Structure formats: C-alpha cells, structure tokens
C-alpha cells in the first residue's frame, strides 16, 4: 500500500506543504494551473532555499495585481496564517467598518465548487475550508455561514488549500500518516490582542491531534496547515512501517539558527499494509422509487464532496413492480455518520442499510507522460510490484482536449501510446 508520512517537527503551514509536495515530485505546472483555475488573481512563485543547512522548496502565493506576496502579517513565521482576519466582524460592533472587502465561507465554497478540479481534490479542499470556518465560528460564537475572510488572506488561504488538495490527491496514495505536531511557543498578535501559541483557531483545529511545543518561540503551525492536516484524515504515529521512495522538504518563511524550519514529506510503500492489499470500508445503501434523476445526481456529487470513496447508482425493480434506483456509497468508517445524515436529508428514502466490508485495492501511483497535447498524468494500479492497469487521468485529458480543440478519445489514445513507449523504454 502506498502511503505518505508528514513529519511536523517544525509545525505545518500551507506554504510548507506546497513546497514539500513540489520537492517530492508533484508537477509545478499542475499547481500553477490550479492557481489560475481559481480566477482570484493569484499566482505561485517557486524557489530553492536553505533552512539551517537543509535544501528545501519554498512556494509563495503572489497577488497578480501587485506582484507581491499575498500575506496579511509578514512578521509571522509562516505567512499563510490568517487567524487575525478569518473571523466575522459583522457581529462585533467595534469592527463594523473594518475588513468590508472579503469573502464569506459560503462564497468561498461556491468558488471552489465552480472551479475545474478533480472530485477528490475538490472534496478535500472543501473539507479543509469547512473545518476552518467551523473553528472560527465556534471561537467567535457566530453562524458558520457568516464567517468572513479578509480579502488578502482569502486569496492566499484559498490558493494554499486548493493547490495543496490537488497536489495531495495527485499522488494517488492509499493512506496518510503524520507525526505529532510542533505548535511552537510564545505569543501571537491576533485581531483582538496577544494570544499564546497556538492561536485560537489553530488550537480548535488541533483537537484530537497529538501536539507538543519545542524549539523557537514562534508560531510554527498555522490554521491553514492544521485544517489541511485534519481534513486529510491522517493516522498519527511516530514512524510508520515504510519503504521510502521519495522525500521532499517544504520551507517556512523564516530561517532561524540551528532549527530547520521545514516540513518533511516521505512517500513510499508500507510493506505491512501491502500484505492485506485492502482496507475496511462502510457501505451505505438505499433504494428509492420517487426521486428524480436530478436529485440523485446532486446527491452523488454531495457524497463525494463529503469524503465518500465512491458512489454508484443502479436501476432496480422494487415491490409491486415499481422501477427504482439503488444508491450505494462507499466510505471510510469515520465518515459513516456524516454520510448517513446526508443521504437521509438529500434523498427521499425512509431508511438505510449499512454494513462494513473488506475492500481489496490496487496500489496506485501517478506518472506524467509527454504528448502532443502537453504533459498528462496516468494513474497506474499495481499489485505486489506488478503494474496491472494504466488509465489516463480524465481531468487532464479533458482540459487538453478543450485547449487543443480535439476529441477527448484522441487525447486519451495519445496518452496511452506515450505510456506504452515509456514502459518499453
């Protein structure tokens, strides 16, 4: 089983994660295209830096209008922190006229839903932002829908989260692990005064995650980093059983003496997990005979956004000869309750059948092949070291087909031909 391991000995932030993903082999063009697809005036700048003797990759989000780094508080260790501007001032009479230009959580959700993104990446990005909005709503005792993000902070936070989600999903890993998280120490300046590290939003997001404080007196883990880490659903262990194949280092902004301000990402194979070649999943089913095709299609999109592994709809004959639809959802056990609630709310069913099953899966990874239509990813499924399936990534192929004005099947055939040549080589 292919796994990823995040070592958060210097904390975690959005820019550090993007740098680690780049350093481990995620395509730069993929991240740049994702930033452009958001259409919020953001671009990415990549550089190689030194952090206490460690060569690492630094990724900055730039404001297209000014060409400057899209950050709100440059004094912080990780400039993607936004806990001083991601809460709603609409409910505070002392801040009624401040930060009037920005985006609400509802607006950001619509922006992400309308962007051209792979379904798994969109679902991960939405989950991270939902967690972030929920944390802010709880801290300030306001409804989640009214949580407001300052314009500048929204640009870099949206870009960080969405690009990280796309990069993480592009690796095609089966499971994620992480070390305990170093939150740093000292105090941080928030909109309402000084707070001890971790800041309120970060502390709320890190509930249930092992943390500690060591090293320099700075904020090491930001709300953005904590939200992505939690949305990813990592298992937190010291060191997983892994045969490492690639290692990447993502840099934070500062370079303190004798403290490597980096996030380390290791990618490899978990030999212990590969013996089972599978995982335990929850299966949720309901049969309905009074739901329109539009309602079913909407429900299928929603369950994927909420973290389902897969969803299927099949025609069935129900009692009294009535034609109906059987909706089947696969998810990890920790998402079962949320998806049960969604199905009961979104469909016309009066009940669900729920069970747990073993799912046998191929180990998946991505490779990039060059074609006449540009670089396109291919997903490879393997078992016990043998490659069994090669499949062009649909989103990449669809984009190339639109850009070059050719049929989708022509692009996919070109990708498979290029993949065959790569295997023969």
């Amino acid at each position: 089983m292919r796994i990823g391991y995040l070592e958060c000995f210097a904390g975690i932030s959005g820019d550090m994660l993007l740098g680690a993903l780049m350093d481990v082999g995620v395509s730069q063009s993929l991240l740049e295209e994702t930033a452009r697809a958001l259409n919020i005036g953001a671009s990415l700048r990549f550089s190689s830096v030194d952090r206490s003797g460690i060569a690492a990759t630094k990724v900055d989000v730039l404001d297209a209008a000014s060409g400057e780094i899209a950050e709100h508080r440059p004094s912080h260790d990780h400039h993607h922190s936004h806990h001083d501007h991601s809460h709603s001032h609409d409910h505070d009479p002392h801040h009624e006229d401040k930060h009037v230009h920005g985006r609400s959580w509802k607006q950001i959700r619509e922006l992400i839903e309308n962007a051209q993104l792979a379904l798994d990446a969109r679902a991960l990005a939405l989950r991270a932002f939902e967690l972030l909005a929920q944390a802010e709503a709880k801290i300030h005792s306001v409804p989640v829908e009214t949580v407001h993000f300052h314009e500048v902070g929204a640009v870099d936070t949206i870009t960080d989260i969405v690009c990280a989600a796309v990069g993480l999903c592009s690796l095609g890993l089966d499971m994620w692990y992480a070390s305990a998280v170093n939150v740093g120490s000292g105090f941080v300046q928030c909109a309402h005064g000084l707070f001890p590290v971790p800041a309120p939003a970060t502390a709320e997001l890190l509930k249930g995650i092992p943390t500690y404080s060591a090293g320099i007196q700075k904020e090491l883990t930001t709300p953005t980093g904590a939200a992505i880490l939690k949305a990813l659903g990592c298992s937190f262990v010291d060191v997983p059983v892994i045969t490492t194949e690639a290692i990447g280092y993502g840099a934070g902004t500062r370079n303190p003496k004798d403290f490597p301000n980096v996030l380390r990402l290791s990618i490899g194979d978990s030999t212990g997990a590969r013996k089972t070649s599978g995982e335990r999943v929850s299966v949720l089913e309901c049969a309905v005979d009074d739901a329109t095709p539009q309602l079913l299609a909407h429900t299928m999109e929603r369950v994927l956004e909420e973290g389902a592994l897969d969803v299927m709809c099949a025609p069935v004959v129900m009692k009294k000869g009535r034609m109906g639809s059987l909706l089947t959802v696969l998810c990890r056990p920790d998402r079962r309750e949320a998806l049960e609630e969604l199905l009961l709310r979104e469909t016309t069913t009066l009940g669900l059948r729920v069970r747990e099953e073993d799912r046998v899966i191929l180990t998946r990874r991505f490779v990039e092949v060059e074609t006449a239509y540009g670089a396109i990813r291919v997903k490879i499924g393997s078992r016990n070291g043998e490659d069994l399936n090669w499949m062009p990534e649909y989103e990449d192929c669809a984009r190339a087909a639109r850009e070059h004005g050719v049929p989708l099947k022509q692009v996919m055939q070109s990708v498979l031909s290029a993949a065959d040549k790569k295997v023969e080589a």
Side-chain angles (χ1 to χ4, degrees), residues 322-390:
R322 293 197 297 262
M323 293 300 297
S325 300
L326 178 65
L327 200 60
T328 304
V329 177
L330 301 184
C331 67
R332 292 193 170 90
D334 65 343
R335 298 301 298 157
R336 169 182 162 176
E337 185 176 342
L339 290 169
E340 285 177 355
E341 179 73 15
L342 189 152
L343 288 175
L344 291 171
R345 285 182 177 274
E346 293 285 354
T347 73
T348 55
T349 189
L350 296 176
L352 303 171
R353 291 176 299 281
V354 182
R355 60 187 183 274
E356 286 202 1
E357 295 181 353
D358 290 322
R359 184 171 77 138
V360 177
I361 55 177
L362 294 179
T363 299
R364 288 157 288 178
R365 71 181 192 278
F366 283 90
V367 298
E368 200 172 70
V369 298
E370 291 295 333
T371 73
Y373 311 105
I376 294 178
R377 290 173 297 157
V378 178
K379 184 185 292 183
I380 303 174
S382 60
R383 184 178 175 87
N384 297 327
E386 180 185 1
D387 294 338
L388 300 179
N389 290 324
W390 291 65

Side-chain angles (χ1 to χ4, degrees), residues 197-233:
V197 170
T202 307
E204 183 67 28
L205 287 161
L206 290 175
K207 283 182 177 178
I209 293 175
T211 63
Y212 66 99
S213 174
I216 60 175
Q217 287 197 336
K218 293 290 181 181
E219 176 196 36
L220 297 181
T221 296
T222 67
T224 301
I228 298 171
L229 191 63
K230 194 160 191 174
L232 199 53

Side-chain angles (χ1 to χ4, degrees), residues 50-112:
D50 179 287
R51 292 293 179 263
S52 296
I54 302 294
T57 298
K58 183 75 175 70
V59 180
D60 292 307
V61 178
L62 304 180
D63 187 310
S66 65
E68 297 179 350
I69 295 176
E71 59 182 342
H72 190 67
R73 287 185 301 141
S75 60
H76 274 198
D77 189 49
H78 301 305
H79 64 262
H80 293 90
S81 178
H82 54 277
H83 42 265
D84 62 340
H85 56 262
S86 56
H87 54 286
S88 174
H89 292 302
D90 298 337
H91 297 265
D92 186 341
H94 300 293
H95 295 274
E96 237 171 59
D97 297 323
K98 295 181 181 180
H99 303 324
V100 294
H101 300 294
R103 293 182 176 89
S104 67
W105 157 227
K106 181 181 178 181
Q107 292 172 318
I108 292 173
R109 183 174 62 225
E110 291 173 352
L111 187 154
I112 296 173

Side-chain angles (χ1 to χ4, degrees), residues 249-269:
Y249 292 92
T253 301
R254 294 183 182 273
N255 186 21
K257 184 179 180 182
D258 300 326
F259 185 84
N261 188 23
V262 297
L263 173 70
R264 181 159 65 185
L265 168 58
S266 300
I267 303 295
D269 181 76

Side-chain angles (χ1 to χ4, degrees), residues 2 17 23 49 59 62 66 80 102 131 161 170 173 190 195 201 267-268 284 315 319 321 351 359-360 370 393:
R2 298 273 296 174
L17 181 54
D23 210 39
V49 298
V59 180
L62 304 180
S66 65
H80 293 90
L131 289 167
I161 288 179
S170 74
L173 303 184
C190 296
F195 275 87
I267 303 295
L284 288 64
K319 62 184 179 183
R359 184 171 77 138
V360 177
E370 291 295 333
E393 186 68 3

